[in-house]
Amino acid sequence: MEFPEELKYTEEHEWVLVEDDVATIGISDFAQDALGDVVFVELPEVGTVLDAGKTFGVVESVKAVSDIYAPISGEVIEINEELPDTPELINTSPYEDGWMVKIRMSNPAEAEDLMDAEAYQEFIEGEE
Amino acid sequence: MTIIGGNVLKKTPLNEVHRELGGRMVEFGGWEMPVQYRGVIEEHLAVRGAAGLFDVSHMGEIEIRGPGALEFVQQVTVNNASKLKKGQVQYSAMCYPHGGVVDDLTVYRFDEDHFLLCVNASNTDKVFAWLEEVFEEDGSADLTLRNVSDEYAQFALQGPASETILSRLTDLELGRIPSFHFYEALVAETPVIVSRTGYTGEDGFELYFAPADAEKVWNMLMDAGSEDGLIPAGLGARDTLRLEMGYPLYGHELSRDISPLEAGLGWITRLEEKDFIGRDALLRQKQEGLKQQLIGLTLTEAGVPRAGYAIYSGKIKIGEVTSGTMSPSLRVGIAMALIDPEHGAVGSPLQVQIRNRMAGALVVKPPFFRR
C-alpha cells in the first residue's frame, strides 16, 4: 500500500495535495482497499462551499456506502468529470486519476492540522 | 475461534485457506466467511464468463429417513416432493401455519424413504427445532430426523467452464446429469454428492463431502480449473450473482413476515396438489389478494439501490428495497423490493429514495441478467 510523501491525510482517510491556494482531494489507498470495488461516486457541484470536517460527497462500493469529509474549507473549483462513468479509477489510481475535487482554500492554515504520510501510516496501523 | 461483535463465529474447514488466499473474512449467519478475495466484480464476472469456486460449507443439512419420510417432507414443505425421483433435487420452502417462511431450501431425494434438506446457515438451528416440533406434535410419524450439518463441507463450482473443470477429477459422466439432479461419485479421490444446482444462474455443481477432505478437494479443483480461468469467489459475488437472477435470499426477500406467494414463489407452492403447513393461510392470501408483492427494479439513472431504501410512486411511499446492488454484468443499479401490489405492474415508473434524492426506476420482471 502506498502513501505518497507529498500528501496530507485525515483520520477519515481522505488525502489532500496543496499547491498554492488550491487543494486537490481524494481518498487514500487504504480507504479504496477497505471499500472494495467502487461503483458510484457523488460529488458536489463546482461553486459549492465546503466546510472542513463536513461531508461533501459519497463513495459507494458494491457492498458499502461511505461519506467523504472535507479535510479543508473552501470553494469547489473543479470536479473529476471522469468519475461518474469510471468510478473504478478510485481503486486503480487513488492518488492520481481517482482524485475527486479541487477547492480554493479559504483557510490554508487548516492544512497544518492534517497528518503527514508517516503519521497517517501509524494511524491506520493503530486502527487495524 | 474468532470473536467479532461478541459472537463466537463458526469456521468452515477452509478458514486457513481463505486467509492464505487473501480472503476478506466477515460474519455471515454466525459463520466467519470470505466476502471477497481479489474483488467482488472480478469474481462475479469470472463466474459469468468462466468459473468460480465458492466455499459454502456454512449451509446446513438435515437428514430425514424412514417409512414416514416422504409424508413428513410433504407436510413441512410447499413444493411437491412426491414428484422427486431418486437422484433429483427440488427447490422448495418451509412455512409456518400463518404462511410466513421458516426457510427456503433444496430437497434431495436419495431413496424412497431418504431425503436430505439443504437449508440456510443462519436458519439451520431454527429449522431443525421447527421440524422437531412438528414431528413431536404428530407423534405417529415413523422416521428419524438428524441435523447432519457438521458431517458435510460444501463447495459450489459455478460458471460455464464448470463441467470441463469437474470432468478432469471424476469418471462420472457429467454430461448426463441434467439440471436439478445429483449423483454420488468419486471426485478428487473423495466420495462426493455431485448436484447440478447453484445460486448464480450459471451452469455448475454443488458438491457435498466430508469436512476432512475439504482442503484436498479445494486444491485439486483450483489446480484443475486454473487454465480455464477458475478463481475463488466469495459471498459478495454470490450475492450479486443471485441478485442479477432475482433469486430470493432469506432475511431479505423471505422471512417470517413474507409468504412464498408474496415473494414470487407461487411456482413452487403447490396449493392445488397437496396439503402442507401454511396452506390454509396461503389459500386465504390468494383469495383475498396479496398485501405486498416482490418486484424487480432497474434504475433509469445513476445510483445504487440498497436494502431498506424507500420506494415511492409519486408522493406516496409504497414499499422498500429488500436487496439492491450495482449489477456487475449490466452496470446499472438493480433491486428487489416489497411494495403495494397496486403499483407493481411491469413497466411502471417508480422512484427509489437514495439519501436525499429520488432516483427513477422501472418495474421489471427478473431475471435482470439474461444470457
Side-chain angles (χ1 to χ4, degrees):
Chain A
M1 221 169 268
E2 286 177 47
F3 304 100
E5 293 290 329
E6 65 273 25
L7 305 181
K8 298 277 197 176
Y9 301 86
T10 72
E11 293 188 356
E12 285 80 30
H13 308 289
E14 291 86 14
W15 57 259
V16 183
L17 174 67
V18 176
E19 291 167 304
D20 301 325
D21 64 340
V22 173
T24 306
I25 300 168
I27 65 168
S28 74
D29 202 4
F30 176 83
Q32 71 76 21
D33 183 67
L35 275 170
D37 295 329
V38 174
V39 293
F40 183 76
V41 183
E42 206 169 84
L43 297 176
E45 285 174 16
V46 170
T48 309
V49 175
L50 308 186
D51 293 326
K54 301 272 173 64
T55 67
F56 72 86
V58 173
V59 184
E60 298 198 39
S61 67
V62 177
K63 296 300 286 181
V65 182
S66 186
D67 286 322
I68 319 162
Y69 296 86
I72 286 184
S73 305
E75 184 185 336
V76 176
I77 53 169
E78 195 181 341
I79 62 169
N80 186 343
E81 304 277 0
E82 304 293 323
L83 289 183
D85 289 332
T86 48
E88 61 270 24
L89 290 175
I90 289 173
N91 295 120
T92 55
S93 178
Y95 300 117
E96 289 173 14
D97 299 343
W99 68 275
M100 292 177 172
V101 296
K102 293 185 185 191
I103 62 169
R104 178 152 290 119
M105 293 182 284
S106 52
N107 182 8
E110 287 170 349
E112 287 160 26
D113 298 335
L114 302 174
M115 288 179 275
D116 63 18
E118 195 182 338
Y120 178 62
Q121 244 168 306
E122 275 169 29
F123 171 74
I124 57 180
E125 276 159 23
E127 276 214 323
E128 277 178 320
Chain B
M1 295 235 177
T2 305
I3 297 174
I4 298 178
N7 294 317
V8 178
L9 296 180
K10 293 184 218 168
K11 291 180 179 179
T12 80
L14 261 278
N15 193 279
E16 283 303 314
V17 175
H18 296 316
R19 290 170 182 282
E20 282 163 24
L21 288 167
R24 192 161 293 171
M25 308 305 283
V26 299
E27 192 275 337
F28 182 81
W31 292 74
E32 189 181 71
M33 300 297 291
V35 67
Q36 65 162 63
Y37 302 86
R38 282 165 57 181
V40 175
I41 294 176
E42 182 181 341
E43 293 161 26
H44 178 112
L45 296 176
V47 171
R48 290 269 180 258
L53 186 60
F54 301 82
D55 174 19
V56 287
S57 300
H58 60 311
M59 300 294 284
E61 292 86 12
I62 294 168
E63 185 189 73
I64 304 173
R65 293 184 90 145
L70 173 61
E71 200 181 324
F72 186 76
V73 172
Q74 288 287 67
Q75 185 189 1
V76 297
T77 62
V78 303
N79 206 336
N80 191 348
S82 73
K83 294 269 176 73
L84 284 174
K85 298 186 181 72
K86 290 180 210 174
Q88 245 184 321
V89 195
Q90 184 179 69
Y91 179 57
S92 194
M94 218 175 264
C95 282
Y96 292 107
H98 77 276
V101 177
V102 183
D103 200 9
D104 65 332
L105 67 154
T106 44
V107 179
Y108 287 75
R109 187 169 202 175
F110 283 78
D111 213 329
E112 290 304 318
D113 53 4
H114 178 189
F115 294 85
L116 188 75
L117 313 182
C118 180
V119 302
N120 280 303
S122 56
N123 287 338
T124 307
D125 292 344
K126 180 188 77 175
V127 170
F128 192 69
W130 169 247
L131 293 178
E132 280 188 311
E133 192 183 322
V134 174
F135 174 66
E136 277 157 23
E137 215 163 276
D138 180 23
S140 66
D142 186 4
L143 59 90
T144 55
L145 205 54
R146 287 205 308 140
N147 182 349
V148 292
S149 302
D150 292 345
E151 296 173 25
Y152 290 106
Q154 187 188 340
F155 296 163
L157 174 64
Q158 300 281 297
S162 295
E163 184 179 318
T164 305
I165 294 164
L166 197 60
S167 69
R168 297 195 180 110
L169 299 178
T170 182
D171 293 333
L172 185 64
E173 284 187 54
L174 299 170
R176 289 169 61 179
I177 310 181
S179 180
F180 279 89
H181 285 69
F182 69 96
Y183 280 85
E184 293 170 273
L186 275 185
V187 175
E189 304 157 5
T190 306
V192 173
I193 300 166
V194 180
S195 171
R196 197 152 207 158
T197 48
Y199 194 44
T200 61
E202 296 300 327
D203 185 23
F205 301 88
E206 290 175 308
L207 310 170
Y208 300 77
F209 46 88
D213 295 316
E215 202 165 327
K216 179 179 69 177
V217 174
W218 178 274
N219 289 333
M220 288 182 72
L221 279 166
M222 287 309 303
D223 287 346
S226 57
E227 64 186 279
D228 297 289
L230 175 67
I231 60 170
L235 292 185
R238 188 169 158 84
D239 192 51
T240 52
L241 287 158
R242 69 96 192 166
L243 198 40
E244 282 186 351
M245 299 311 296
Y247 297 157
L249 172 63
Y250 195 90
H252 291 256
E253 287 72 38
L254 295 169
S255 76
R256 194 187 179 93
D257 302 320
I258 306 169
S259 82
L261 301 181
E262 293 166 337
L265 296 183
W267 62 281
I268 61 165
T269 309
R270 304 297 178 179
L271 293 169
E272 313 302 327
E273 290 175 25
K274 58 167 229 179
D275 196 14
F276 58 87
I277 295 170
R279 178 171 175 260
D280 292 347
L282 295 178
L283 280 171
R284 211 159 41 239
Q285 265 190 15
K286 202 172 172 181
Q287 206 170 18
E288 291 169 3
L290 302 179
K291 294 192 172 60
Q292 52 183 357
Q293 180 196 356
L294 191 71
I295 55 147
L297 285 174
T298 298
L299 256 57
T300 50
E301 52 191 271
V304 187
R306 296 185 188 270
Y309 286 6
I311 310 284
Y312 284 82
S313 176
K315 290 208 162 100
I316 313 161
K317 189 188 168 193
I318 57 160
E320 272 185 13
V321 172
T322 52
S323 296
T325 191
M326 177 68 78
S327 159
S329 304
L330 308 169
R331 296 183 68 106
V332 296
I334 59 171
M336 287 196 277
L338 266 183
I339 64 160
D340 177 348
E342 204 177 305
H343 303 275
V346 169
S348 307
L350 299 176
Q351 298 81 43
V352 183
Q353 186 181 352
I354 300 180
R355 294 179 285 279
N356 53 8
R357 83 188 160 100
M358 290 290 176
L362 280 180
V363 178
V364 298
K365 187 174 157 50
F368 299 94
F369 173 80
R370 287 186 174 84
R371 264 200 179 280

